[in-house]
Amino acid sequence: MIWIDTIIQGILLGGLYALFAAGLSLVFGIMRLVNLAHGDLIILGAYIILISVTVLGLNPFFAILIAAPLMFALGWALQKLVLNRTLGEDILPPLLVTFGLSVVIQNGLLEGFSADSQRISAGALETASISVGPISMGVLPLLTFGSAILVIVVLNHIFYRTAIGRAFRATSDDAVTASLMGIKPERVFATATGLAMVVAAIAALYLGVRANFDPSIGPARLIYAFEAVIIGGLGSLWGTLLGGVIIGVAQTVGAAINPEWQILAGHVAFLVVLLIRPRGLFPRGN
Amino acid sequence: MALLETKGLTAHYGDFQALFGVDIHLEQGETVAIIGANGAGKTTLMRSITGVLRNAPEQILHNETPIGHLPADTIMKRGIAMVPEGRKLFPSLSVEENLIIGGQHKGGRDLGDRIDSFLSRFTGAPDPMELAAGHDGAGYWTLETIYELFPILRERRHNPGTALSGGQQQMVAIGRALMSNPYVLLCDEISLGLAPVVIKDIYAALPKIKESGASVIVVEQDIGQALAVADRVYCMMEGRVTLEGRPSEISRDDIHAAYFGAVA
Ligand SMILES: Nc1ncnc2c1ncn2[C@@H]1O[C@H](COP(=O)(O)OP(=O)(O)OP(=O)(O)O)[C@@H](O)[C@H]1O
Ligand SMILES: [Mg+2]
């Protein structure tokens, strides 16, 4: 019984990792840009929510209504003013620039909020749980997982069923020909990064409510996100969710065996999947 | 007044100069063919007109407005559409989506343009709606009329664009360009690599395209085809126009000389 419980915890934790990863996956899928500051941008989002909650006294789930548009604007401007200039044949400039950005965000947050760890308070929800037969599940992890599924459904809908999604795919295929269709690739990329930052804001909410955070933890979250994206296969959001679940389950199972093995078990699972399926579980043709 | 005109058009790829003062013009209702050997600069001319390559403003005029400096998306929104060399269908899009995307941003009326247009009042940046010059993209061509023009595409509409035969892909590329109801349609080597019967099918669409109100420039390697469809022909060689005339007025020898250079 304890094992079923552990595995369910792991699956639900995977939802959080999928939320970390979905924005990363979206941006990579559309413009082949690896955003090394993605984890730090999530932490930034968590601080925006924290401020909304503590200063404005909002419920964190309403605070997202402030954080999401702010993060969209930030992502849009970041892409338009900075990252678009780094895109090209050479993959090194975006890596260098986003690495630099990661350092800037961490230090900016350190200046503004000190290194103290913070927590977004969600009141009774933090400890609420529901029981299904003998198994008890936290409401918060369930909400996280449900949100991950919803985010993926919505992103897939946008990507495959809407005009902007068509523009995403066309621009990703061939930016020059897309411009002959009246599309401004810079604008499409800015919109995509804005969208990725909205997902980051949602990830930030659950990150901040679930556990303590401080300005330095972004890169570690980025690694889980990367692993989820790569296990899932680049470009597949459902694959990313499965990747998150695999890492989540490996971590909780590892921790159940020996608390020190939690992180290690996640990385080992990642390596094992890569050994068996070097291109991930659901690689998109290309 | 010419619908479209290039004046002393030059183009460069890095240090390499590909066009040396090209003057062509297209009148309302005309079909103009551009012929020339491989590397003559035909595609470069198309890339310049469509804004993929940027030029000095005055080197390209659309209804006497300088447009040489405008980016590709703005040129398209003015009603100048392109069937690019090699078709360039979007592999991630189905046939129908390839068609839809051709008309999706016509006329400079998408949300981004509206926002930029609003902001331009304060920033002094050019107004994208104004640059679109009143082309609203409305007209004869819709998904339905494209499917009437090329019925096979209706059957294949859910296939990936790249899963079609070469001729069908070319139909998609033409349909995609028509979806914006352009005033000017530029076609770069639409017969390349296709069997003669397929070429015939594709050129059979031309009268209908003209009837819809588009004026057309076709780039053709096939001289016979070019002479058959065009009101006027330009021949290019090494980045220059070496011959201009009506098909009835130019002789085989003229073309031979213009195509390959004077026989030494
Ligand atoms: N991207 C590029 N970079 C450098 N040089 C180029 C590039 N594209 C074309 N050129 C050169 O510019 C010249 C004109 O090429 P262009 O493609 O315009 O010719 P074309 O008339 O369309 O030929 P084709 O009939 O083979 O399509 C050629 O000498 C070509 O090598
Ligand atoms: Mg060419």
Side-chain angles (χ1 to χ4, degrees), chain B residues 15 28 64 81 105 123 126 129 193-194 208-209 237 246 250:
Chain B
D15 289 339
Q28 175 68 43
E64 311 213 311
H105 298 270
T123 59
M129 311 272 265
L194 302 180
K208 192 86 207 172
I209 293 172
M237 191 179 65
R246 300 192 172 276
I250 50 183

Side-chain angles (χ1 to χ4, degrees), chain A residues 6 16 51 62 104 108 130 178-179 181 193 218 222 231 242-243 248 270 285:
Chain A
T6 304
L16 183 64
I51 295 172
F62 282 110
V104 168
I130 54 171
S179 72
M181 304 298 126
T193 301
L222 180 73
I231 288 182
L242 185 61
F270 167 69

Side-chain angles (χ1 to χ4, degrees), chain B residues 13 16 18 37-44 47 85 189 221:
Chain B
Y13 294 104
F16 178 79
N38 292 118
K42 307 179 296 293
T43 297
T44 304
R47 285 199 194 122
E85 183 174 42
E189 305 221 20
Q221 289 259 12

